[in-house]
Amino acid sequence: MNSKIFEQFDISTLGFCPEKCIENLPEPFEIYTELANNMPIHIGIAYRNYVDATITNFTPVQELELVNLPLEHIKSLYSKLCMIINKYIWCDHPNSFTDTIPYFLGRPWLFAADKLGISASLTHAAVDLYNWKLVVPNKPFDYSPKPHETSAQINLLNVMNIHTMTGSNDESWFYLVMIVIEMYGGNVLSCFNNLVDLLSHYYDLCNNNNNNNNNNNNNNNMDIDDTHRKIMNEDIAHDMAGILRTTAEHLQKMTMTVNKMYQNCDPEFFFNKLRVYLSGNDTNGQYFPDGLKITGITDRVIKFKGGSAAQSSLIQAIDIMFQTEQKMVCPHVKHYLQDMHQYMPRKHHEYLEYLRENAKVFSVRDYVETTGLCVKEYNKCLDCLAAFRRAHYGLVEKYVLRFVQAKDNVSDTNTTIDTNVHGNKGSGGTDPVVFLNNLIDTTINSKLCAATNDNTDNTDNTDLDSTIPNSSVVTTDLSKLWLWYVITVIFAVCVYRIL
């Protein structure tokens, strides 16, 4: 695997985030930038009235204009329209919802979604991957801007949002945490790139070595080949251990970022204000019995799930690389994760399939199991992934479950939950307790047992230590002997004087 593979699957140095997002669309699409910029200004039903009044002054964009739009602009168009349309549908509250959107919004939305190979719904790609900009241009995403370098209302490291639907810092922070996690994931994908290259090299050496053995069957040559194989394994293991340690470090940074959610995103705001916008329209019969409709388009049924962290190609890529997905025994979880592919850009879920096929041939897990090397480093990565999932579960517990569980005792929580259109399900339609606990358990159960021939400092030294005298015990025994010697001498002198 090399950089051309990343280019083929639309992966950048920032992982599944593009190197840069388009903030302002050119003519004749600038109207969509305007509608997106004004989302926070108009509250409730006023936003739908504003949109309806504004678009009457414009003719719908032509098919040729859509076709000629560059890919990066299509990503921006998709992001803006996903947010505009969900703001238009809900207008801040379920009581204000509509199940029909204007052709002026719906037609380019469907075009952009089809072009990207992603569902026409408010996806992780729409609000996160394609909805950010750098606070200080030409600085890395993890740069910390100095006070005089930023006028951003809110930012996480060097990243800020392009759009929000409510204008709230809480909404912005919710997206920023996810964006920065994805950006750290760029380093994880680079590590995967290196692992595949390393294993490809390893298997090439093994094949060459086997060919040499077939041509040279005398004992001397076999001894040389065995020595060469041992050296080769040690070199490969050394490099792999380093890559796995680096992977674990970036996974830890992802978990640290998850835990930053509590800093600037209020749980009550998320549950009562933002979560309604993350709703889908595929299973919610109360609001969308026939799905979402677009005026003038009758040949498309728009029924999709709501937003979910499972729409992240990054997390599924990690599962594939460490083959934790093979340990998933719950059919519902496996089916759901596969279903989430349609909520990812086409090139990204194609990368997952590519990675899955490569993982069968160049399997990190198989190498570690077969050689007994790098077990500690491999398991460390799984520990970090499990920690990430526990942190995610903690968010769900605090931002969703406690409000759902309090619905029969609203007065004690000082909140209202009449915006909860999901019931006791997650916004993606799953039972979050069952789903997330299953993923955590699967990750932990995927760890490998320590091997006795692991030369990466993973050896259990218990048995070895039991055969080595303990220095403190030896010292204690000598002290006792010396004490008895002194007592004996004193006793002898006393007896001598008496006599």
Side-chain angles (χ1 to χ4, degrees):
M1 193 187 296
N2 52 48
S3 59
K4 290 184 178 179
I5 297 299
F6 279 5
E7 183 179 346
Q8 176 185 342
F9 294 110
D10 197 23
I11 298 172
S12 75
T13 58
L14 300 175
F16 294 106
C17 291
E19 294 287 353
K20 180 181 180 181
C21 295
I22 302 299
E23 185 173 1
N24 298 303
L25 291 169
E27 294 184 0
F29 300 96
E30 75 274 19
I31 179 58
Y32 299 111
T33 301
E34 179 184 331
L35 294 176
N37 286 339
N38 288 330
M39 285 188 293
I41 297 175
H42 302 280
I43 308 302
I45 197 73
Y47 183 72
R48 189 182 302 147
N49 295 335
Y50 156 74
V51 171
D52 288 339
T54 302
I55 64 179
T56 57
N57 300 320
F58 293 84
T59 57
V61 292
Q62 301 301 305
E63 196 72 19
L64 184 61
E65 293 171 323
L66 287 168
V67 169
N68 290 333
L69 202 60
L71 179 62
E72 297 307 313
H73 288 74
I74 290 175
K75 293 176 183 177
S76 176
L77 179 64
Y78 172 77
S79 172
K80 295 178 194 307
L81 283 169
C82 282
M83 300 180 79
I84 291 167
I85 288 170
N86 273 271
K87 175 85 172 181
Y88 185 95
I89 290 170
W90 293 107
C91 288
D92 299 331
H93 200 282
N95 291 344
S96 305
F97 96 100
T98 179
D99 65 353
T100 305
I101 57 176
Y103 181 91
F104 186 86
L105 301 178
R107 177 66 193 105
W109 186 41
L110 291 180
F111 174 86
D114 291 345
K115 192 72 175 179
L116 295 171
I118 193 172
S119 66
S121 59
L122 193 75
T123 59
H124 167 61
V127 296
D128 298 325
L129 301 184
Y130 304 151
N131 182 38
W132 62 271
K133 60 183 178 181
L134 295 176
V135 176
V136 182
N138 302 321
K139 293 286 187 180
F141 80 90
D142 54 354
Y143 171 75
S144 296
K146 297 175 176 59
H148 71 275
E149 292 180 304
T150 176
S151 59
Q153 190 173 4
I154 191 169
N155 58 281
L156 177 53
L157 299 175
N158 195 30
V159 184
M160 61 185 294
N161 288 124
I162 295 176
H163 299 298
T164 63
M165 291 175 283
T166 66
S168 167
N169 285 348
D170 299 83
E171 178 188 0
S172 185
W173 192 258
F174 179 75
Y175 302 149
L176 288 173
V177 167
M178 298 301 297
I179 293 166
V180 170
I181 288 171
E182 290 285 349
M183 290 178 171
Y184 278 127
N187 295 318
V188 173
L189 296 181
S190 294
C191 287
F192 290 173
N193 187 359
N194 295 335
L195 284 172
V196 171
D197 286 346
L198 183 65
L199 287 172
S200 176
H201 176 61
Y202 168 72
Y203 289 122
D204 283 344
L205 291 175
C206 286
N207 290 333
N208 291 336
N209 196 53
N210 289 335
N211 291 334
N212 290 335
N213 285 344
N214 291 333
N215 296 327
N216 303 285
N217 290 320
N218 62 70
N219 289 333
N220 268 345
N221 284 333
M222 288 300 291
D223 289 341
I224 293 172
D225 288 334
D226 287 342
T227 302
H228 178 264
R229 184 183 291 107
K230 182 179 179 181
I231 294 172
M232 176 184 70
N233 264 331
E234 290 174 351
D235 289 344
I236 295 293
H238 177 270
D239 292 344
M240 179 173 287
I243 298 171
L244 291 174
R245 281 193 291 267
T246 301
T247 302
E249 289 171 4
H250 293 305
L251 291 173
Q252 288 173 324
K253 290 179 181 178
M254 289 166 55
T255 302
M256 290 171 62
T257 306
V258 170
N259 289 326
K260 288 182 179 179
M261 183 69 76
Y262 305 103
Q263 295 177 8
N264 289 305
C265 182
D266 177 58
E268 186 174 331
F269 169 86
F270 173 81
F271 189 83
N272 291 320
K273 297 293 184 182
L274 181 59
R275 194 166 176 253
V276 66
Y277 289 118
L278 306 179
S279 306
N281 48 58
D282 69 326
T283 57
N284 201 327
Q286 178 183 354
Y287 299 99
F288 303 99
D290 301 313
L292 188 62
K293 304 168 189 174
I294 299 175
T295 304
I297 297 178
T298 58
D299 60 343
R300 290 286 293 267
V301 177
I302 305 175
K303 281 193 171 188
F304 293 107
K305 291 180 173 62
S308 169
Q311 295 173 3
S312 169
S313 305
L314 172 64
I315 306 305
Q316 291 209 28
I318 296 170
D319 279 326
I320 290 169
M321 196 64 187
F322 291 105
Q323 295 182 285
T324 53
E325 66 169 9
Q326 294 184 4
K327 299 290 183 179
M328 293 177 185
V329 295
C330 178
H332 169 70
V333 172
K334 295 178 74 171
H335 173 76
Y336 184 80
L337 292 176
Q338 184 65 33
D339 187 47
M340 287 297 100
H341 284 201
Q342 65 179 310
Y343 298 86
M344 305 171 185
R346 181 189 299 108
K347 289 188 176 182
H348 293 175
H349 69 71
E350 285 177 351
Y351 170 76
L352 296 183
E353 296 303 325
Y354 173 86
L355 192 63
R356 185 175 287 111
E357 290 303 312
N358 270 273
K360 293 176 183 177
V361 181
F362 307 116
S363 168
V364 177
R365 186 180 183 87
D366 286 352
Y367 172 85
V368 175
E369 280 189 304
T370 302
T371 64
L373 303 171
C374 304
V375 177
K376 183 179 72 172
E377 288 80 6
Y378 181 88
N379 284 344
K380 177 65 174 179
C381 289
L382 291 179
D383 283 336
C384 292
L385 179 57
F388 177 86
R389 287 189 153 133
R390 289 192 198 96
H392 178 216
Y393 184 89
L395 290 184
V396 173
E397 195 168 45
K398 184 167 184 177
Y399 283 75
V400 177
L401 296 180
R402 74 183 182 97
F403 291 101
V404 173
Q405 293 163 357
K407 64 182 178 181
D408 294 327
N409 193 17
V410 175
S411 60
D412 290 347
T413 63
N414 195 31
T415 65
T416 59
I417 58 173
D418 56 354
T419 60
N420 180 26
V421 299
H422 307 277
N424 61 354
K425 301 292 185 182
S427 55
T430 65
D431 180 328
V433 176
V434 175
F435 182 77
L436 295 176
N437 277 328
N438 188 281
L439 290 176
I440 293 169
D441 291 343
T442 298
T443 305
I444 295 171
N445 293 335
S446 297
K447 291 175 65 176
L448 296 171
C449 295
T452 57
N453 62 330
D454 188 342
N455 66 351
T456 56
D457 196 29
N458 191 58
T459 306
D460 184 355
N461 292 321
T462 304
D463 293 335
L464 180 62
D465 289 345
S466 66
T467 65
I468 302 174
N470 187 301
S471 60
S472 62
V473 174
V474 173
T475 302
T476 302
D477 290 340
L478 289 174
S479 298
K480 289 178 179 178
L481 289 172
W482 174 251
L483 180 61
W484 279 112
Y485 174 77
V486 171
I487 292 173
T488 302
V489 170
I490 294 174
F491 179 77
V493 170
C494 292
V495 171
Y496 176 80
R497 286 185 176 179
I498 292 171
L499 295 175

